[in-house]
């Protein structure tokens, strides 16, 4: 084993088995203590938190248009809540304490029920003290299947995460320490994939749904052993599938890939000096009748297109952090000189208005900016709508223009998904009336 340092990356090829809910989603999600084999088999398992006895929690699968009804029971010793990341749901179900719901205290429960309008790859996670609770393992995949899913031999969810462990395999404390908050966040020293199945057949056509659940780690990924196309980002289908090349996943981002297995499927963390193994899907047999058809685009999403002339043009400037300039906020990070949630929203929109927002990163670190309750277009250089996303990676010193149609009424969080940055000031909210 090699530890993650500035020059090396430790990865465990061990894979946790995510429970299968073939007969439907569970009606109860209960948080509590779990154990996960992060270190190689034969070494100590790591004590974490999870849902229904595992971390990641159970994979929830529903069909597009269905209503998901779940009772969250808090079995930990901290207040919590659940956010359904990427789902365009009604505001009261969004899972943000103090903005959309009360805290769920230890021993208490909260009932969530909402329709799922968009097919795609989503996830759920704690949204209270998330810089700690997500790092402890309180998350899981939420898969919304198309009415007519593409024909594949296997549909596999692949979670990517990292953990900060001591030599015994115990999760290290120090959540929210000043260095992590003011720099790149809580970066783990162990990382691996957690696939929903650990083998495929040679010649299988597979759909891989990758989810970055880390609190701060940006994963640069190479996938070997697959002749594939990228078909969706953050749950939203691409208009035209793209050839699979190396890619980055910021915290909370997802990517859907459909392709044909040509060899053992390896997931590699790419560095300037080479790459490190994060785990594999092993070959177990050969498909006697492999698919030969072209990988087609998924059905178009039902997300409104932005108007040609925006109703509002806005700027959101990211400020602060180590090696950053001074700002007017009261914490480490700020948006437009304001740290944390103010009494008034960053912006108010009438239902259906289009806004173009300049995301300006004036800090020394990258940020993954997530908008609740909506998707948005990352604008191309000519200003035309590009990829649909719910989380956009804005590199240090960069400008990213996005356009969103604010058509979902309520109060919605807008924040950095490097969760330590959110905890120390980099969050605001918008209101749709």
């Amino acid at each position: 084993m090699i530890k993650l340092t500035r020059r090396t990356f430790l990865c465990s090829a061990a894979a946790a088995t995510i429970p299968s809910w073939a007969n439907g989603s569970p009606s109860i999600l209960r948080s509590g203590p779990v154990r996960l084999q992060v270190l190689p088999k034969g070494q100590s398992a790591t004590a974490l938190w999870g849902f229904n006895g595992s971390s990641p929690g159970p994979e929830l699968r529903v069909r597009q248009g269905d209503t998901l009804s779940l009772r969250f029971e808090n079995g930990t010793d901290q207040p919590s809540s659940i956010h359904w990341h990427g789902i365009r749901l009604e505001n009261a179900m969004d899972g943000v304490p103090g903005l959309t719901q009360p805290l769920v205290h230890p021993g208490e429960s909260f009932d969530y029920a909402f329709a799922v309008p968009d097919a795609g790859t989503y996830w759920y996670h704690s949204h209270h003290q998330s810089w700690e609770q997500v790092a402890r393992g309180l998350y899981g995949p939420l898969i919304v299947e198309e009415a007519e899913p593409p024909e594949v031999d296997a549909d596999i969810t692949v979670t990517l995460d990292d953990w900060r462990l001591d030599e015994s395999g115990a999760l290290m404390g120090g959540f929210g320490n000043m260095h992590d908050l003011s720099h790149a966040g809580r970066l783990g020293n162990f990382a691996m994939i957690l696939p929903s199945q650990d083998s495929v057949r040679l010649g299988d056509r597979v759909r891989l749904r990758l989810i970055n659940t880390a609190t701060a780690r940006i994963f640069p990924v190479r996938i070997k052993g697959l002749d594939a196309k990228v078909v969706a980002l953050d749950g939203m289908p691409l208009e035209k599938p793209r050839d699979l090349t190396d890619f980055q996943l910021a915290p909370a981002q997802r990517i859907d890939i459909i392709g044909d297995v040509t060899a053992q499927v390896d997931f590699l963390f790419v560095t300037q000096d080479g790459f490190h193994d994060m785990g594999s899907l092993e070959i177990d047999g050969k498909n006697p009748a492999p698919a030969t058809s072209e990988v087609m685009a998924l059905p178009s999403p039902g997300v409104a297109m932005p108007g040609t002339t925006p109703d509002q043009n806005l700027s959101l400037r990211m400020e602060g952090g180590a090696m950053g300039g001074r700002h007017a906020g009261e914490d480490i990070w700020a948006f437009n000189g304001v740290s944390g949630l103010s009494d008034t929203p960053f912006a108010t929109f009438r239902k259906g208005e289009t806004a173009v927002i300049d995301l300006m990163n004036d800090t020394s670190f990258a940020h993954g900016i997530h908008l609740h309750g909506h998707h948005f277009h990352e604008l191309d250089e000519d200003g035309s709508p590009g990829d649909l996303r719910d989380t956009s990676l804005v590199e240090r010193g960069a400008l990213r223009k996005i356009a969103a149609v604010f058509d979902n009424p309520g109060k919605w969080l807008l924040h950095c998904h490097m969760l330590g940055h959110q905890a120390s000031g980099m969050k605001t909210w918008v209101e749709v009336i």
Side-chain angles (χ1 to χ4, degrees):
M1 283 292 180
I2 306 170
K3 286 194 175 180
L4 276 172
T5 66
R6 289 174 183 246
R7 299 185 58 82
T8 59
F9 194 86
L10 170 75
C11 303
S12 169
T17 301
I18 300 173
S20 173
W21 296 89
N23 297 320
S25 301
S27 58
I28 293 176
L29 278 177
R30 179 176 176 80
S31 61
V34 303
R35 298 188 72 83
L36 176 64
Q37 192 66 47
V38 179
L39 299 183
K41 292 180 180 179
Q43 299 188 41
S44 297
T46 299
L48 298 170
W49 288 351
F51 292 102
N52 294 17
S54 69
S55 178
E59 180 172 294
L60 308 179
R61 276 190 178 255
V62 293
R63 282 294 177 96
Q64 184 177 9
D66 284 352
T67 295
L68 184 62
S69 298
L70 290 168
R71 172 167 293 176
F72 166 48
E73 295 182 349
N74 187 358
T76 73
D77 59 5
Q78 293 182 5
S80 194
S81 68
I82 298 179
H83 169 56
W84 313 92
H85 188 110
I87 302 293
R88 297 186 298 130
L89 74 180
E90 62 178 287
N91 191 242
M93 297 288 102
D94 195 43
V96 182
L99 196 65
T100 69
Q101 71 163 81
L103 281 168
V104 184
H105 290 277
E108 295 182 348
S109 65
F110 188 90
D111 290 342
Y112 294 95
F114 52 89
V116 286
D118 305 308
T121 301
Y122 306 98
W123 65 302
Y124 59 94
H125 61 81
S126 163
H127 217 292
H128 178 66
Q129 292 183 211
S130 53
W131 64 95
E132 175 181 350
Q133 294 188 8
V134 174
R136 288 185 179 274
L138 285 184
Y139 60 80
L142 170 54
I143 307 302
V144 182
E145 297 178 341
E146 295 85 0
E148 296 184 7
E151 292 188 11
V152 294
D153 298 299
D155 187 333
I156 304 170
T157 302
V158 181
T159 300
L160 295 85
D161 202 358
D162 66 352
W163 300 263
R164 186 177 293 179
L165 308 181
D166 65 20
E167 293 182 357
S168 72
L171 190 67
M172 295 175 66
F175 299 100
N177 70 74
M178 183 62 69
H179 182 275
D180 287 349
L181 295 182
S182 61
H183 288 73
R186 183 183 170 93
L187 300 175
N189 56 348
F190 289 77
M192 66 180 179
I193 63 166
L194 299 167
S196 57
Q197 68 181 60
D198 56 14
S199 65
V200 290
R201 296 177 300 178
L202 196 65
D204 274 351
R205 174 158 291 181
V206 298
R207 179 174 186 169
L208 302 180
R209 303 172 181 266
L210 277 70
I211 307 172
N212 182 356
T213 61
T215 62
R217 173 78 62 187
I218 300 170
F219 281 93
V221 180
R222 176 179 301 167
I223 300 177
K224 296 178 64 177
L226 201 64
D227 181 11
K229 300 283 189 180
V230 177
V231 295
L233 299 171
D234 290 357
M236 293 289 102
L238 300 180
E239 184 176 347
K240 182 180 179 180
R242 300 172 188 162
D243 290 338
L244 176 64
T245 58
D246 292 357
F247 59 90
Q248 286 192 128
L249 275 188
Q253 288 187 326
R254 291 91 64 211
I255 185 170
D256 281 45
I257 298 161
I258 295 179
D260 302 321
V261 176
T262 60
Q264 177 175 287
V265 182
D266 297 324
F267 296 81
L268 307 175
F269 185 100
V270 182
T271 72
Q272 292 182 343
D273 301 325
F275 54 83
H276 299 279
D277 183 16
M278 293 189 293
S280 303
L281 303 179
E282 297 180 353
I283 297 298
D284 184 10
K286 186 175 182 179
N287 189 326
T292 58
S293 60
E294 182 182 356
V295 173
M296 305 299 292
L298 299 173
S300 298
V303 178
M305 289 293 294
T308 54
T309 301
D311 299 288
Q312 297 191 45
N313 288 279
L314 303 164
S315 296
L316 192 70
R317 188 179 300 275
M318 303 160 223
E319 302 167 320
M323 300 171 286
R326 294 184 178 182
H327 59 79
E330 298 178 350
D331 211 331
I332 296 171
W333 303 94
F335 282 142
N336 293 354
V338 178
S339 297
L341 299 185
S342 59
D343 293 336
T344 56
F346 161 66
T348 300
F349 307 98
R350 293 192 177 277
K351 184 179 178 182
E353 282 191 335
T354 293
V356 171
I357 305 175
D358 290 350
L359 302 177
M360 298 181 292
N361 187 350
D362 281 352
T363 80
S364 298
F365 298 92
H367 302 286
I369 304 302
H370 172 48
L371 173 63
H372 285 219
H374 299 78
H375 285 83
F376 53 79
H377 288 271
E378 295 179 329
L379 298 184
D380 295 333
E381 289 186 2
D382 62 2
S384 60
D387 294 333
L388 266 172
R389 306 209 72 138
D390 60 53
T391 306
S392 187
L393 179 61
V394 187
E395 299 287 356
R396 55 180 292 180
L399 166 66
R400 167 80 72 187
K401 287 180 175 286
I402 64 172
V405 179
F406 287 89
D407 55 2
N408 196 356
K411 298 177 179 180
W412 301 103
L413 207 62
L414 176 61
H415 67 95
C416 179
H417 221 283
M418 280 68 168
L419 296 175
H421 297 169
Q422 172 198 272
S424 50
M426 196 170 280
K427 61 183 175 181
T428 186
W429 62 289
V430 301
E431 186 168 20
V432 182
I433 58 176

